[in-house]
Amino acid sequence: MLARNRATLDPVRAWCHQNDVAYRLSERDSSGPKFHQTREACRLLDLLRHKPNHRRKAATLSRWFEARFSDAQRANPWLVMLAQFIEELNCVWGDLAVPSSTIIDELYEFGTDAARSEQGRLTLSTVHSAKGREFRHVVILDNGDWQDASDDERRLYYVGMTRAKELLLMCESAGATNSFSARLSDAGIARLPLPQDIERPEALGWRYVSLGLADVDLSFAGRRPSGHAIHRALERLDYDSPLRAVRTGKRIELCATENRQAVGAIAKNCRLPAGQIIAIHVDTLARRLKKQSHPDFAHQLKVEAWWVPLATVTIAPNREGQGCQVGSRSNSHASVEVAAGPSVEVP
């Protein structure tokens, strides 16, 4: 699904979350980690780096994957990518034993190919970010975004149209004129009437913000010694684990729900949409190394490597009330408290 502006994609993203529809944001629209930075990929990288000259077969890696991760864990989209990577190794090399160093290079290359993670997932992207790419089916959204009839906008709309290989669906806003779709006439174009009296659920106004590496305090856990409880709490986190939002002074800390241990913090320069934080769920954990930090701050770090939790924050705009509980995505009958005392509000 393509849109002129990122804000037009927000209700679609909310709908995907609330209906368990797998989706992905275009890499150019996302500040998320690279595949090789995620804990899921690091598990394999650690295995390979232990003996970089050792030759391994894809079948051996498949058995390692089956033994290392449970069926429940494999719903994790990063593990889906890891399984896909191992499967591609098997297709390319078959029974050939390959040096671990070569597999490492292949994993880094695999992670840079945006098309790898699209299978079975809906892609949400701005038209700008979709340049140079193609999809079987494309929907161009219109939230009053295409009123400017300038040549630049016309060319941009054309870029969106030509991303489709098989089917193109162009939407028109009921409250604004689309400067381009109305001019199109061809035997291959079927025009459908606009539906009337569409009810917009309030929950489509929720915002789902994926915290990237630029949105969190990268050194939060690194400033604690290796024996600190934060490192044990980070190891226990997994994909979709709930976190608590706790305001401490001017910052918002991310805390594990089971023991309230702070495991991270939102960066001071991260600007979340105004509203009330009602849920936070872990997307992945990214590995951070001391040598990656700025030399001016290296003296504050107590460990050589640590995990940084990256999560999706659910925000209900203009929501009122004190305490707040939300249903867990893994168990619709369970509830997860996401704030200590009053729910955290973002001004």
Side-chain angles (χ1 to χ4, degrees), residues 251-267:
R251 74 187 313 179
I252 297 175
E253 290 188 349
L254 307 176
C255 302
T257 57
E258 60 180 17
N259 56 9
R260 302 191 179 186
Q261 170 64 52
V263 293
I266 297 178

Side-chain angles (χ1 to χ4, degrees), residues 203-231:
L204 289 187
W206 291 10
R207 294 294 172 259
Y208 294 82
V209 181
S210 296
L211 299 177
L213 295 172
D215 303 317
V216 296
D217 181 349
L218 295 175
S219 300
F220 189 84
R223 294 192 291 269
R224 279 72 175 175
S226 58
H228 195 281
I230 187 174
H231 300 292

Side-chain angles (χ1 to χ4, degrees), residues 22-43:
Y23 75 94
R24 60 178 295 277
L25 298 175
S26 169
E27 274 78 1
R28 301 170 195 172
D29 290 326
S30 171
S31 61
K34 302 297 184 183
F35 180 51
H36 67 268
Q37 295 175 304
T38 66
R39 186 168 69 178
E40 292 78 5
C42 285
R43 298 301 193 202

Side-chain angles (χ1 to χ4, degrees), residues 118-131:
E118 291 176 6
Q119 295 186 5
R121 303 175 73 83
L122 178 66
T123 297
L124 305 181
S125 174
T126 60
V127 177
H128 282 101
S129 295
K131 289 181 179 179

Side-chain angles (χ1 to χ4, degrees), residues 309-325:
L310 302 177
T312 293
V313 182
T314 305
I315 299 176
N318 303 319
R319 187 184 179 111
E320 297 180 357
Q322 296 298 313
C324 177
Q325 292 189 329

